[in-house]
Each structure stands twice: as C-alpha cells, then as structure tokens.
Amino acid sequence: MARQVQFDRFGDASVLTVREVAEPQAAAGQVRVRVRAAGLNPFEHKVFSGAAASASLPLPSGNGNDFAGTVDQVGQGVTNFVVGDEVFGGARWAQADFLVVDPASLHKRPEALPVEQAGALDIAGRTAWAGVAAVAPKPGDTVLVGGAAGGVGILTAQLAAHAGARVLGTASEANHAFLRSLGIAPVLYGEGLVDRVRELAPEGITAALDAHGCEVVDAALALGVSPTRINAIANRAAVAELGILGLGASGASFDDLDALAKLIANGEVVLPIDSSYPLDDVRSAYERLMGGHVRGKVVLLTE
C-alpha cells in the first residue's frame, strides 16, 4: 500500500486526509516515481476549498502538482529514463508516495539542485519565468515585484535582476534584510506604497509583476508604467479591462524550467524553503502556507 493526500468535500485544510491506496504500477510507455518532496501552491487551496474547482471534479480527489523523486519503475518502451534517475516536475495529484507519469513530462534533476527545491519548482518556476519574459526586463529598467519574498515573487525578482534590471520588491519588514542580501531593494507593501516607491526610485519604474492581487498593478499604473509592461496573474479583471499582461505558468516551456533549475543548482538564483512537513501533516503545511508571510516555498516530505 502507499499513501496519497485526498479530500472528499470542499473546505479549509481540515478536509485533507492521508489515505492508503494501492501502489500504482508503470505500464508500457510510463515510469513510476517514488516521490520524495512535493511543494505546495496557493492554487491547490483554491481547489480543495471549492473556490476554483469544477463542478465535475470527482470526489474523493487527490491533491497537489509539484514533486521531485526517484524513478523506481520503467515501463516497456521507455528508453530515456532508468531506475534510479533523479527527476522533478508537475503531475496531477502529486502529494503521494508514488506517481505514474509520462516520461515526456519529467525533468532530470541536476545533481546540485536539492530535492526540496526541485520538488517545489514546477508551478512557481514556470510562473516566474513566463512573467519576467512577458515584460522583458533589461539593463536600465527598474522593475517593481509584488510579494517578492513569496514562492513566485522571490524567483520573479531574481530573474528580473539576472536580466540586468534594478528590482524593487514589496515585502513585510521581516523579509527586508533577506531581499537586500539578494540585491533586491525592499519596499513595505500597504498604504503609501506609491510614495515609498517614488522615494526609492525617483527616476521612475518601467515594469511591474504581481502574482497576488492588485496593489502593485495599481501602484505601477499610478507611476505611469505602460500596461504592456505590467504582468499580473491574480487580477483577471485588470487584465481584461486595462490591457495589462496576464501570462502565467502555461507561458513557460519545458526548456525554460530546465534553465531555471540550472540557475538554482549553480547558485545564481536562490529558492528558499520556508518550511517542510511530513506528508502525514499536510493540514499544518497548508495552514502555514495560507497564513501568509511565507519566505519561499512550503514542502511536504514523504520520508
């Protein structure tokens, strides 16, 4: 038997439970992964709370997307993976001991990339990469990033800086020193944001990215940033009404995620792990994630 996180009704983290299920087996053309780490994303909370779930979602349902682990079964006809390969990626209901996946969806984990970071990379990494590519920062740009200490924001801010831009990132005061250590100028979010940004960047800002809501979008527009250089994935109304960009994880390619993994493995980009929890304590992990002020990613560990 194996474990899998499931829910059979919608609600808060208390609806999540870890159940024993039959071990899946790799068929022809498939591989099985022994999951070691599974990162959490806010979107999953929207699904199990019912806020983003389709009425057709069958219950009980599994949970999760991001994972990293070790190939432990290879189906007939698979030639590009062998038992023992270290891999990562995203797959439906990834919060489990085992996953059976199409090998075409798997990334080989660089040896220097820790398994926790690899297991938390898929959604946040693709979202950050696509957003930064959408606004195309370059030397001479000043970019404002919302939620710069969070899972998506911390990658977004560093990728923009890696492209040569000066980066300002909104965050709570507890994360200001951390952002400065990465070369990101921190700015406190909340009322008065526009004035604080003007003080830090009197020459103005030229692009903005926000994965959380409307504060940074509103500030960027107030500061004269063109809507074509603002990307927001959580403010669909602004995307539709104001003509700002709305490129999310689907806008990044397979190769883009590999490139980001290499940057992290090489130490050029940092993906902090805020906290890790055993799979059996999945409820506490989501309570931590949804409590806010998370630095980087929250991860479940299966062993």
Side-chain angles (χ1 to χ4, degrees), residues 109-247:
R109 176 168 68 89
E111 185 176 355
L113 178 64
V115 68
E116 291 187 8
Q117 278 83 354
L121 190 56
D122 184 64
I123 286 181
R126 290 188 294 117
T127 301
W129 191 284
V132 172
V135 303
K138 57 188 182 301
D141 275 324
T142 300
V143 181
L144 178 63
V145 175
V152 174
I154 192 64
L155 294 174
T156 298
Q158 291 176 89
L159 288 172
H162 191 265
R166 182 191 179 206
V167 180
L168 281 61
T170 69
S172 63
E173 289 187 10
N175 285 312
H176 283 196
F178 173 67
L179 292 179
R180 288 191 189 96
S181 74
L182 299 176
I184 300 160
V187 55
L188 186 66
Y189 57 75
E191 186 177 353
L193 175 62
V194 169
D195 290 337
R196 289 189 292 275
V197 171
R198 281 198 180 107
E199 184 176 352
L200 282 170
E203 74 287 355
I205 61 171
T206 53
L209 298 113
D210 198 343
H212 295 286
C214 59
E215 181 184 52
V216 162
V217 171
D218 291 344
L221 291 170
L223 290 164
V225 179
S226 167
T228 61
R229 298 207 73 199
I230 302 172
N231 192 77
I233 62 169
N235 190 345
R236 295 302 178 189
V239 170
E241 296 172 12
L242 303 175
I244 68 173
L245 305 172
L247 205 61

Side-chain angles (χ1 to χ4, degrees), residues 15 48 53:
V15 305
F48 68 71

Side-chain angles (χ1 to χ4, degrees), residues 5 12-18 40 45 48 95 274-292 294 298-300:
V5 175
D12 60 19
S14 67
V15 305
L16 299 174
T17 188
V18 179
L40 275 58
H45 175 265
F48 68 71
Q95 292 169 7
D274 174 271
S275 49
S276 58
Y277 294 79
L279 185 70
D280 290 333
D281 200 14
V282 61
R283 295 178 181 178
S284 296
Y286 275 103
E287 288 168 356
R288 169 61 188 149
L289 176 68
M290 303 314 298
V294 171
V298 178
V299 179
L300 293 172

Side-chain angles (χ1 to χ4, degrees), residues 26-59:
Q30 297 179 324
V31 299
R32 188 174 81 171
V33 177
R34 176 63 170 96
V35 177
R36 295 172 57 196
L40 275 58
N41 297 286
F43 179 74
E44 294 139 19
H45 175 265
K46 293 180 181 179
V47 173
F48 68 71
S49 70
S54 165
S56 63
L57 181 68
L59 298 177

